[in-house]
Amino acid sequence: MNNNSYISVTEISGDMVSKEQFDRLCERYNWACGYCKKKDVVEVACGSGQGLGLLLKIAKSVEGGDYSEEILGLAKAHYGERVNLRVFDAHNMPFKDNSKDVVILFEAIYYLKDVPKFIKECKRILRTNGMVLIATANKDLYDFNPSPKSYKYYGVVELNKLFLKHGFNAAFYGGTPISEISILQKVLRPIKKAAVMLNLIPKTMKAKKYLKRLVFGKLMVMPPEVDSHAESLRGLTILNHGVPEKTHKVIYCVATKIDNE
């Protein structure tokens, strides 16, 4: 696989994004901060690192990495010596056993070829009661559009079974309620569904920019680093892990290690 193969499908600093996308990014890092205070944290698949600065303000230590050297180069250029950043594979992380308290993987689990192996790696490097924080697009929405680079998406039911199997207890939360999206987005959902079925949705971030302008209006530049963002601090909804989730765009999962084998 090309080391830079994900740059065409990754939201990186400098990209034109909708306000909803920006709010979601801020939401997930503000949510993560609730679990990272005075903890040793690593963000896997950190991309260009927009959330690392916010984590630095609250965690004991923060490290990050990405599979793409080109994308990670943007984070290195911005943060310099503030964060230890290195290229690594989520299936084989360069950290000692029982050395971390929190592992973060945001909007990237579907790009992993072997998710069980990733979870085993998390279990290895996490201390007892350590946590894995996941944010992922909700595959169970009827108009869901998968990334062309993805392997497999996981909903609340699949994630719960997977983490339980590997020695974690998981809790789930929903973000970006469908009930709160714009009227235009609601009207366009059936059209989006048809476009997905007919394979008409653009495959790259560059091509999707034009659709974003149509649906969301004015776009904004994704900054290299985000701060606490008031509009992202609304409460998340507790989800039932026993049934597929149909009412939120984003699934959040906190999986807690329950043994130290």
Side-chain angles (χ1 to χ4, degrees):
M1 181 185 296
N2 188 310
N3 199 35
N4 299 322
S5 61
Y6 294 101
I7 196 164
S8 66
V9 295
T10 302
E11 293 172 2
I12 59 176
S13 55
D15 278 352
M16 299 301 295
V17 298
S18 69
K19 185 175 182 299
E20 182 182 297
Q21 287 176 294
F22 176 73
D23 286 346
R24 286 207 307 261
L25 182 136
C26 293
E27 179 180 76
R28 57 185 180 249
Y29 285 102
N30 276 288
W31 173 73
C33 282
Y35 298 94
C36 294
K37 187 175 182 179
K38 297 182 181 180
K39 303 290 187 180
D40 293 314
V41 179
V42 57
E43 183 174 7
V44 182
C46 70
S48 55
Q50 296 96 314
L52 292 171
L54 191 56
L55 297 172
L56 279 171
K57 294 179 179 181
I58 196 165
K60 178 182 177 182
S61 70
V62 177
E63 295 190 71
D66 199 275
Y67 187 69
S68 168
E69 184 175 3
E70 182 178 2
I71 296 175
L72 192 64
L74 297 173
K76 288 182 176 180
H78 176 73
Y79 287 101
E81 299 299 318
R82 293 167 59 196
V83 189
N84 182 21
L85 298 169
R86 44 185 156 170
V87 175
F88 65 80
D89 191 324
H91 303 96
N92 185 25
M93 292 188 275
F95 305 108
K96 295 180 180 179
D97 295 1
N98 308 307
S99 62
K100 299 296 179 184
D101 300 301
V102 182
V103 176
I104 295 172
L105 182 68
F106 286 164
E107 297 297 341
I109 193 169
Y110 36 85
Y111 293 132
L112 302 186
K113 189 174 183 178
D114 190 343
V115 173
K117 187 174 182 180
F118 162 70
I119 296 177
K120 289 176 183 177
E121 272 291 272
C122 290
K123 189 174 183 180
R124 178 184 67 79
I125 70 172
L126 284 172
R127 300 174 179 126
T128 301
N129 297 319
M131 292 172 287
V132 184
L133 304 182
I134 303 287
T136 183
N138 185 7
K139 75 171 185 68
D140 292 315
L141 296 180
Y142 90 97
D143 58 342
F144 174 69
N145 176 43
S147 169
K149 299 287 186 178
S150 61
Y151 285 101
K152 181 179 179 180
Y153 283 81
Y154 296 81
V156 293
V157 176
E158 296 88 354
L159 278 174
N160 184 64
K161 290 179 180 178
L162 194 58
F163 275 113
L164 187 60
K165 180 179 179 180
H166 290 92
F168 290 81
N169 282 328
F172 298 89
Y173 306 89
T176 314
I178 294 297
S179 62
E180 297 182 11
I181 64 176
S182 69
I183 293 175
L184 180 58
Q185 284 191 68
K186 291 177 182 177
V187 169
L188 290 177
R189 290 188 74 196
I191 298 174
K192 178 185 175 185
K193 172 64 174 177
V196 171
M197 294 180 67
L198 295 172
N199 198 30
L200 297 177
I201 299 290
K203 303 300 183 184
T204 66
M205 291 295 178
K206 183 176 180 180
K208 287 180 179 179
K209 178 175 65 175
Y210 301 101
L211 279 181
K212 290 177 189 176
R213 285 177 176 165
L214 172 65
V215 177
F216 298 102
K218 185 178 179 180
L219 303 181
M220 60 182 291
V221 177
M222 177 69 79
E225 181 177 343
V226 299
D227 204 335
S228 182
H229 182 53
E231 292 186 36
S232 72
L233 296 178
R234 60 188 178 187
L236 300 177
T237 302
I238 298 174
L239 301 179
N240 180 354
H241 61 69
V243 295
E245 167 55 29
K246 305 287 188 180
T247 61
H248 293 81
K249 283 190 175 185
V250 182
I251 301 298
Y252 292 91
C253 170
V254 52
T256 304
K257 182 177 176 180
I258 57 178
D259 60 42
N260 195 30
E261 295 177 356

